[in-house]
Amino acid sequence: MCELLGMSANVPTDICFSFKGLKERGGRTGPHKDGWGVAFYEGKGVCTFKDALPSYQSEIARLVSDYPIKSTAVVAHVRQANSGRVGLENTHPFTRELWGRYWTYAHNGQLKDFRQLAVERFQPVGTTDSERAFCYLLSELVKRYPNRSPGPKAAMRFIARLLPRLQQLGVFNMLLTDGEYVLAFCTTKLHWITRRAPFGVARLSDVDVDIDFSRETTPKDVVTIIATEPLTNNEQWHKMQPGEAQLFRFGEPLGR
């Protein structure tokens, strides 16, 4: 299966530290060697990097892990292919425009009979179950609100009510963001941690790197990291339960 990484922050923050850990899982400390991608939001804009190479071998991934791109919402993914060939069109995360905003999504898992999912306005470009599920969610959202947006929070909560159907088709761990809200859904493995003052030292599990966040932050900063497996070995992460959806906005968890 694949691995997910997401971030929600109240101030523009780089994800270099966490991405260094994820990058190693893309073919070195994990089997996820079939491509990787990451999307950074800056206001209403989104900047996406993708590569079909294993992330631990990718020069683009090395650049991303060292270059401090500041963002308040990030979705990243390392892929172990089970549906669709290895190629950029099947590499997560996927992005679509809706109501003048970019929506970005990544999925970990495998869905059976995914072609039964109805897609209308939004069509898959690749052949993965993941992208089909994303197009289904957005198509259902537009079907429910055909004339105008109900507001980003209401839209996210509507999508959350659709997710148990996808869970019935198989393993469906997911991250979805519109740049303001980040929605996480778990069926098997997903964890999150919110860092706020007083900040301390964090140490990665997959590579010998640590960071003292008290030197990199202000007392007002709030940053939540979401990952398939905890990325650090000296912090307490929240383990999500099967069927649990969790919404975040600018670093703060808003409840299940």
Side-chain angles (χ1 to χ4, degrees), residues 110-123:
Q110 187 170 7
L111 303 179
K112 299 177 181 178
D113 301 322
F114 63 90
R115 290 181 180 84
Q116 70 178 270
L117 297 171
V119 294
E120 296 179 6
R121 170 177 164 184
F122 299 93
Q123 295 292 321

Side-chain angles (χ1 to χ4, degrees), residues 72-231:
T72 54
V74 176
V75 170
H77 182 275
V78 289
R79 184 180 185 224
Q80 185 179 11
N82 55 45
S83 172
R85 75 177 191 91
V86 176
L88 283 180
E89 75 273 20
N90 290 327
T91 303
H92 307 222
F94 304 105
T95 298
R96 297 290 192 278
E97 179 276 332
L98 175 60
W99 297 319
R101 300 182 73 92
Y102 289 116
W103 297 66
T104 298
Y105 154 104
H107 163 232
N108 159 31
Q110 187 170 7
L111 303 179
K112 299 177 181 178
D113 301 322
F114 63 90
R115 290 181 180 84
Q116 70 178 270
L117 297 171
V119 294
E120 296 179 6
R121 170 177 164 184
F122 299 93
Q123 295 292 321
V125 175
T127 56
T128 64
D129 52 350
S130 304
E131 189 183 15
R132 180 88 183 193
F134 180 39
C135 292
Y136 160 76
L137 292 173
L138 293 187
S139 293
E140 290 296 303
L141 183 58
V142 170
K143 187 186 301 183
R144 173 64 180 82
Y145 301 102
N147 298 319
R148 62 184 179 87
S149 168
K153 186 175 183 180
M156 286 291 185
R157 294 199 179 279
F158 174 78
I159 287 174
R161 293 195 292 272
L162 300 174
L163 301 180
R165 181 189 175 189
L166 296 175
Q167 183 183 14
Q168 292 174 359
L169 300 182
V171 177
F172 189 73
N173 304 296
M174 181 213 72
L175 293 176
L176 174 70
T177 184
D178 67 345
E180 179 179 352
Y181 290 87
V182 176
L183 176 62
F185 184 76
C186 173
T187 63
T188 54
K189 291 183 181 179
L190 207 55
H191 300 75
W192 60 272
I193 185 170
T194 299
R195 299 185 179 114
R196 63 179 82 236
F199 293 95
V201 175
R203 184 177 304 110
L204 290 174
S205 303
D206 295 84
V207 62
D208 187 17
V209 174
D210 59 42
I211 188 171
D212 184 352
F213 282 113
S214 67
R215 298 176 179 270
E216 308 292 333
T217 57
T218 73
K220 295 182 179 180
D221 292 1
V222 180
V223 180
T224 291
I225 300 294
I226 309 132
T228 300
E229 295 280 7
L231 291 163

Side-chain angles (χ1 to χ4, degrees), residues 17-37:
F17 175 72
S18 295
F19 188 79
K20 286 180 190 293
L22 183 74
K23 178 171 71 70
E24 296 301 304
R25 296 179 182 181
R28 192 181 77 82
T29 62
H32 319 96
K33 59 180 177 56
D34 298 320
W36 67 275

Side-chain angles (χ1 to χ4, degrees), residues 3-48:
E3 291 214 15
L4 301 169
L5 170 64
M7 185 186 77
S8 173
N10 69 337
V11 294
T13 303
D14 75 70
I15 202 170
C16 292
F17 175 72
S18 295
F19 188 79
K20 286 180 190 293
L22 183 74
K23 178 171 71 70
E24 296 301 304
R25 296 179 182 181
R28 192 181 77 82
T29 62
H32 319 96
K33 59 180 177 56
D34 298 320
W36 67 275
V38 59
F40 300 90
Y41 278 79
E42 183 178 344
K44 293 178 68 175
V46 62
C47 177
T48 302

